[in-house]
Structures are given as structure tokens and as C-alpha cells.
Amino acid sequence: MVKEKSNSSVKISLVYALFFISSAFMLLVAVVFSFYISGMERETLGSIQKHLLTAAHHASVYLTVDELDLFHTEEDMERPEWEEIRTRLQKFAEDTQVLYVYYWRYTGDGYIQYIIDNDEDEEYMVHPAMFFSLEADEISAEAALAIEAGKSWITDLGVYTDSWDDLLTAVVPVFNDDGTVYCGAGVDISDEVLVTMRSNIRIMRFMLIFSLLVSVLSGYLCMRSYNKKAIQSVNASLSKSQFLSTMSHEIRTPLNAVIGMTAIGKKAQEIDKKDRAFNKIENASFQLLGVINEVLDMAKIEANKLELSPVEFDFEKMLQKVVEVVSYRAEEKGQLLTVNIDSNVPERIVADDQHLAQVVTNLLSNAIKFTPENGRIELTAYVVEQSGDECRLRIDVADNGIGISPKQQSRLFKMYAQAEDDTSRKFGGTGLGLVISKRIVELMGGNIWVESELGSGARFIFTVKVLQKIRGQNYISENPDAIAAKSDDISHMDIRFDGKKMLIVEDIEINREIIVSILEHTGILIDSAGNGKEALDIIEAEADMYDIILMDVQMPVMDGLEATRRIRTLYSPQNNKPPIIAMTANAFKDDIEQCLEAGMNDHLSKPLDVERVFEVLRNYLS
């Protein structure tokens, strides 16, 4: 007992140490990020100052000394050249993207005389009658001294006097033919955007540091409040920490592929290279979606909300789809994937097809992952018990991979645990698949277990209770392509909805674009609305305009649920059209029930499954 407490104390101390190290690391990251932001600010300002200096140098040769020498007195403004030169300067300002361009000469007695500029406001018009005392403005005096010395000069952001407020200025000398300085040529731009940016950056920097300090302080106080229950659950907490670390890796890996291949695809000139990048992005996206789905399933399991939705389906076709999904991985490793369906397995059964497919997918994916190249994987399905309309299916997934030791087997079906701590580093994966599979199998009235020895492969076995239909013949295949070949699904390119009209209610433009792209070959006419209020206004104007509506749920102004309720009030109970299909990332059962209760007819979850989209449209538009 003393030893257990000592171990717990050591673990708690380790957690404290890790906390302080991570806190210090976060603070260091915040400081580095702060310096990085400051560097970006300086780089932006430097770029603008460089642009100003370049524009000022162009201005210094844009007008000749002879042209500038025409204007010394107020009467010189009556010369025809005055307006002609001002018009030229206005065009110069547009071309160089500056606010003002102007010229002034130093009189040598403590004043500068303004010559001419592009300002159309006569109240502030620069003209030879204007003299400005340098004693009244140290920044102007600094500029004049630099110009007299033949040097360029530029203001710093935020360093102003009254005469330079809200402007960034660059001035360069204009030289006579003999190399002496005749006057200065200057350009201005407004610093409003830069000052606002710097202010926002300072606020962001403060908020970053403050939020990190609050997080560190809150974390420390929470750790100080650990009680006996926290000590007893330290092992579970450490397991979850390891799980979160694994999850971070599993999410970042496909996300890195998406970001990296997107950059490669954008740079690639050849179509085949772009196609390769798109294929990689697609594979990584599905991998990322699989990780997210596993996390959501685990959340449902912990909240005891994982529920089954039994439907009648073709068992063999379900396996076909599973094999199609995983077979490419087996082909990459040169593995032989064999599928055997016994003749006593019913052709059609009643069960939760999606969750049953999820279990089979998990087991096949693990077998492929842990089996070496050119290995063998065999899936066998048969009935082990029958009673009236009910039967018990047994599905075995066997491989000749690395095998599993008894110690490892004891950890397989535990939450947040993998057979070995370095499994995720060697083979990838979240470690949730078998836990989720176990819960699904138990909900379906079955069991799952493993038979294996280290180095001698593994056989995962599970049973489920289903309602049976009548089956025709036995099917054995050693080629997954043969299974896929039996599919009689209609090609998406052959589906037409000519004459039909759809309204897409979605606030995210790219989501609307995806639907339009998916359906562009079907002949369906598509309109869109950015929120539920816009959709309601459209339907109120002409109730029978659309044959179907795809409705997002979470939108500004008016959400999809409220919009659906109001649209339904526009129709009589006998004419409850048009069908409204929820199209949302809210994919839990409670979310789906909310959609149906609001008056929606069906549900499409994001990211969209193209096959499911066409299935729903065929159901409601045929």
C-alpha cells in the first residue's frame, strides 16, 4: 500500500514537472511568436518605406530643375505650366500609389519654401508663397538638413509632429546639373492602416501573453486541488495523455499531407502531377475523417449514447464495399486478401449495416497494417446458430502478421490503450478501433476476442445477432476486384434530374460550390441562399418553385431548423412539399432527430458522401 502511494506521488510529481515544463514552453512559444509578429511588423514597415523611397527617387527626376525653377512667387501660379505640372503630378501619384507628391526648396535662412504638389484641395495647396519655419518643427528641420547634405530622409512610424501627423513621408534631394542640391522631392502615404495594424498586434500580443498566464495559473490551481480521486485515477489520466498525444499525431499527419500536397499541386504544371496531388489529398482527407469519426464514436461510448439503427441490407454487398475501401492498402503491400462467405449466411439481414461495416473495416485495416508485405489475410463469415428468424453470425479475420503476446492481448480492448506504447509510432492509428468495435459488437448481442501467439499471426473473431432472410448460393473469392465487379450501382455520370429545381441554403460559399460541382452534370437547376431568412423569403415569394431544398442547420440570421419550421407553415398538411434535406456537420442521433422534428425529410452529414447525396436525391426526385 505504501509502495502504491509512493508510486502515485512520483507520478503526481512527474505530472507537476511536465506541467511546469509545458507551461514554460508555452510561454517561450508566446515570446517567440511575439518577436515573430514584431519582425513581420518591421518587415511590412520596411517594405512600405522602401516603396516610398523608390517613389521619391522617381519624383526627384520626374520634374526637371528648369520646370521647378518657374515657381518662386505667388504670381508664378498664374503661369500655364502650373496646372499642367500639377496634372502630371496627380497622374504620378496614381501610378506610384502614393497620397501626395510635392517639392520644396530650403531658403537658407531657417525656412523652407513649398514649390508645387498634386493636392487638389486649394486650402492646403502647395505654392511658392508658402514658407515654413524649421524652428517650429524639429522633424522638418531634420529633413531639411538631410536634403541639404544630399541624403534621403524618411519618417518612422509613430514619430510625428503636428505637420507630419498621420503620414509616412520620404524626401530625396533634386540635384542641379553641377551636382548641388536644388530642392527636395517628397511623397506621402497615410499611416492609418499601419498604425491600426500595430495597435491590433500589440493588443493581440498582450492577449496572447495574458491568456497563457491565465491558463498556466488556472492549470496550477487545478493541479493544487487534486484530491484522492485524482490520485486514484492517475493511471487513467496518463493513458489519456498518451492518447491525446497519439491523436495529435494522427490528426496532424494527414493534415500535413493535405497542406503539403495542396502546395505541391498549386505549383505543379503537369496534369498528372496535379492529379497525383489531388489523389494524395483525397486519401489524407479520408484518413483524417476516419480519425474524427473514431473520436466522435468514443465520445458517444463514454456518454453511453452509441445506439444502433437496424435496416435491411445485402450482407454480401456490405462486405463488397468494405473490401473496396481497404483493398488498395493490401495491394500496395502485395498482400493476398481472401473473402469467404459460407452458403448458410442469409442473403439479406436486418442489422445496423454501417456499424457492422465499421467493425469489419477496423479488423481488416489492422490485419493489413500488422501483416508484412506479401502476407495473407483471410475474412470468413458463417452462421453458428439459428433460431427462427434470428441467427448468430460469426466473422473471422485472420492474418500471418506479427502476432500478439498474452500481455498485449490484455490491453487490446481497453479504452485509450494500445498493445504497446510505441505501436502508434510504428504503425499509426488512434488505438480506438478495437474499443469501438467491442462496444458495437456488444450492442449487437455478440462478443469479440482474439486468438494469437507472438510471431504467428492473429485471428480476430466476433459474433453478432441479426434477423435473417433467404440466401441463394455460396460465394468464395480470392480477388477483391471480383467482389467489386459484382456491384450493380449506377454510375453517377448517368444520373439525370432534368427539369428539377433545387434550392441550396448554406452560408459557406465553398460548400455551395461543392454541391453545384457534384450535380453539374445532372441537369438540375440550382439556386442558393446564404441563410434561413433568405430561403424563407424566396419560398414565400413563390412556394412551388423548388422540387427539393438542401438546408444547412447552423447559419447566421436564421438557422435551418427555424427556417424549416416556418417554411412548413406555408403549406397545407396535405401538401407538405418540397422535401427539405438537412445538410449539416451535426451528425449525432440527437441532431438528426432535431432535424426531423423541425420538419425535414432526411439528413446528409458533412463532409458529404457523394453516393449518399445521389441516393437521397434519387429517393425524392425520381
Side-chain angles (χ1 to χ4, degrees):
M1 188 66 165
V2 174
K3 185 176 181 180
E4 289 179 1
K5 289 185 177 180
S6 176
N7 290 337
S8 297
S9 299
V10 170
K11 290 177 181 178
I12 292 295
S13 298
L14 179 60
V15 172
Y16 270 100
L18 290 174
F19 169 76
F20 286 118
I21 291 173
S22 62
S23 299
F25 179 74
M26 285 193 299
L27 290 174
L28 177 62
V29 169
V31 172
V32 171
F33 185 65
S34 178
F35 279 112
Y36 176 72
I37 293 176
S38 299
M40 290 182 61
E41 178 186 355
R42 290 192 297 271
E43 185 177 345
T44 302
L45 177 61
S47 176
I48 292 175
Q49 289 178 327
K50 183 178 180 181
H51 168 73
L52 276 176
L53 283 173
T54 301
H57 280 295
H58 288 166
S60 70
V61 295
Y62 189 70
L63 297 182
T64 65
V65 171
D66 291 338
E67 288 176 317
L68 294 169
D69 206 40
L70 293 173
F71 312 115
H72 286 271
T73 66
E74 191 168 358
E75 288 75 17
D76 292 335
M77 294 171 58
E78 304 299 326
R79 292 175 177 270
E81 293 90 344
W82 174 264
E83 288 300 332
E84 185 270 330
I85 290 177
R86 280 175 53 78
T87 301
R88 287 169 55 196
L89 291 179
Q90 289 166 6
K91 185 177 186 306
F92 175 86
E94 290 182 15
D95 293 341
T96 56
Q97 297 181 333
V98 298
L99 187 61
Y100 301 118
V101 54
Y102 53 87
Y103 300 84
W104 51 258
R105 61 173 70 91
Y106 180 52
T107 62
D109 56 356
Y111 288 86
I112 57 176
Q113 180 188 26
Y114 286 102
I115 304 173
I116 194 169
D117 75 351
N118 69 312
D119 194 349
E120 298 180 359
D121 190 342
E122 294 185 359
E123 182 180 354
Y124 299 103
M125 183 183 295
V126 174
H127 57 78
M130 289 182 63
F131 290 85
F132 190 84
S133 173
L134 297 179
E135 293 181 0
D137 191 334
E138 60 181 12
I139 294 182
S140 298
E142 180 183 324
L145 290 174
I147 296 304
E148 282 298 298
K151 299 177 182 179
S152 301
W153 179 86
I154 190 167
T155 55
D156 290 325
L157 182 65
V159 181
Y160 308 117
T161 58
D162 291 341
S163 60
W164 299 95
D165 197 15
D166 298 330
L167 293 174
L168 276 177
T169 298
V171 187
V172 299
V174 177
F175 295 99
N176 292 303
D177 292 338
D178 60 2
T180 59
V181 175
Y182 176 76
C183 69
V187 292
D188 296 339
I189 64 169
S190 172
D191 70 345
E192 182 179 356
V193 173
L194 282 173
V195 171
T196 301
M197 180 187 73
R198 184 172 68 173
S199 176
N200 290 338
I201 287 176
R202 287 176 176 174
I203 293 173
M204 289 171 59
R205 187 183 299 134
F206 170 78
M207 291 178 63
L208 175 65
I209 300 296
F210 179 77
S211 61
L212 283 175
L213 287 174
V214 170
S215 297
V216 171
L217 179 60
S218 300
Y220 176 76
L221 293 176
C222 288
M223 294 187 71
R224 291 283 295 178
S225 67
Y226 267 7
N227 53 24
K228 293 181 180 180
K229 185 177 180 180
I231 296 176
Q232 292 171 354
S233 63
V234 66
N235 289 331
S237 298
L238 290 175
S239 296
K240 286 190 176 182
S241 288
Q242 181 62 40
F243 165 74
L244 291 174
S245 176
T246 302
M247 286 304 306
S248 175
H249 174 269
E250 288 301 309
I251 290 175
R252 289 175 183 273
T253 297
L255 188 59
N256 179 65
V258 170
I259 295 172
M261 295 311 297
T262 298
I264 292 172
K266 288 171 67 176
K267 292 181 180 178
Q269 300 297 322
E270 298 84 355
I271 295 297
D272 59 337
K273 288 186 178 180
K274 287 185 178 292
D275 288 343
R276 179 176 177 273
F278 283 135
N279 290 334
K280 295 288 186 181
I281 291 171
E282 182 180 38
N283 291 337
S285 299
F286 280 121
Q287 182 182 349
L288 182 58
L289 179 60
V291 172
I292 294 172
N293 286 337
E294 285 192 345
V295 174
L296 293 176
D297 281 341
M298 182 58 69
K300 292 179 186 178
I301 290 173
E302 289 194 308
N304 200 28
K305 288 188 176 182
L306 185 64
E307 298 180 2
L308 302 180
S309 301
V311 295
E312 181 182 333
F313 65 96
D314 188 307
F315 179 74
E316 182 178 313
K317 284 188 177 180
M318 181 274 290
L319 289 184
Q320 290 175 11
K321 292 181 180 180
V322 170
V323 172
E324 287 172 9
V325 170
V326 302
S327 61
Y328 80 93
R329 299 175 187 168
E331 292 169 0
E332 287 178 348
K333 298 179 71 173
Q335 296 168 340
L336 177 63
L337 175 56
T338 303
V339 180
N340 301 303
I341 304 175
D342 194 83
S343 59
N344 67 355
V345 176
E347 181 177 2
R348 299 186 67 80
I349 63 175
V350 177
D352 188 321
D353 60 332
Q354 293 185 358
H355 281 105
L356 184 57
Q358 183 178 355
V359 176
V360 177
T361 301
N362 283 339
L363 298 185
L364 283 176
S365 298
N366 282 344
I368 293 170
K369 183 191 304 182
F370 296 107
T371 299
E373 294 185 355
N374 303 315
R376 299 187 311 277
I377 299 160
E378 181 179 18
L379 184 149
T380 306
Y382 54 95
V383 174
V384 294
E385 182 182 340
Q386 286 183 319
S387 177
D389 291 338
E390 188 176 80
C391 69
R392 183 180 294 274
L393 285 180
R394 169 168 164 158
I395 299 176
D396 295 14
V397 176
D399 63 69
N400 64 340
I402 61 176
I404 309 170
S405 69
K407 180 182 177 181
Q408 294 169 342
Q409 292 178 34
S410 67
R411 293 166 53 91
L412 281 179
F413 299 102
K414 290 185 178 180
M415 197 172 294
Y416 306 118
Q418 290 183 314
E420 291 292 346
D421 291 337
D422 62 350
T423 298
S424 63
R425 292 193 294 272
K426 290 181 180 178
F427 298 99
T430 63
L432 297 178
L434 291 178
V435 180
I436 296 170
S437 297
K438 183 176 186 292
R439 180 58 178 159
I440 292 172
V441 167
E442 289 174 346
L443 285 174
M444 299 180 77
N447 296 298
I448 185 169
W449 66 97
V450 61
E451 297 174 356
S452 177
E453 292 183 7
L454 195 60
S456 300
R459 178 182 296 272
F460 280 86
I461 306 158
F462 73 92
T463 62
V464 290
K465 288 182 180 180
V466 300
L467 294 179
Q468 61 180 333
K469 301 294 180 179
I470 299 175
R471 180 177 176 80
Q473 60 183 3
N474 180 40
Y475 172 71
I476 299 178
S477 171
E478 292 188 352
N479 183 358
D481 290 336
I483 299 179
K486 294 189 65 178
S487 175
D488 58 357
D489 289 343
I490 300 174
S491 170
H492 296 160
M493 299 306 295
D494 298 331
I495 298 173
R496 303 289 299 179
F497 299 116
D498 297 298
K500 302 295 184 180
K501 196 164 185 180
M502 170 191 292
L503 177 65
I504 300 174
V505 188
E506 166 65 65
D507 61 316
I508 306 299
E509 181 180 358
I510 191 171
N511 291 340
R512 299 194 296 266
E513 184 178 341
I514 289 171
I515 288 292
V516 172
S517 178
I518 290 174
L519 301 177
E520 62 183 355
H521 68 280
T522 65
I524 193 170
L525 301 176
I526 300 177
D527 291 336
S528 63
N531 58 63
K533 181 64 169 60
E534 291 183 13
L536 181 62
D537 292 341
I538 293 172
I539 301 299
E540 285 180 335
E542 189 170 348
D544 296 326
M545 181 184 298
Y546 297 103
D547 299 286
I548 193 167
I549 299 174
L550 297 189
M551 180 77 72
D552 188 18
V553 172
Q554 294 186 357
M555 293 181 291
V557 184
M558 182 184 292
D559 63 43
L561 299 177
E562 181 62 22
T564 299
R565 295 188 191 100
R566 296 196 183 187
I567 289 173
R568 289 306 183 207
T569 64
L570 303 177
Y571 300 87
S572 65
Q574 294 77 23
N575 180 25
N576 200 29
K577 294 185 178 180
I580 301 177
I581 312 301
M583 182 178 65
T584 174
N586 298 342
F588 287 124
K589 184 177 180 180
D590 292 345
D591 300 318
I592 297 174
E593 289 177 351
Q594 279 188 343
C595 294
L596 298 178
E597 289 172 0
M600 297 183 181
N601 300 83
D602 214 323
H603 181 277
L604 292 171
S605 61
K606 298 175 185 175
L608 294 174
D609 182 331
V610 176
E611 291 187 3
R612 173 65 178 152
V613 171
F614 279 96
E615 177 187 343
V616 169
L617 293 183
R618 285 201 302 267
N619 288 343
Y620 292 96
L621 294 180
S622 296

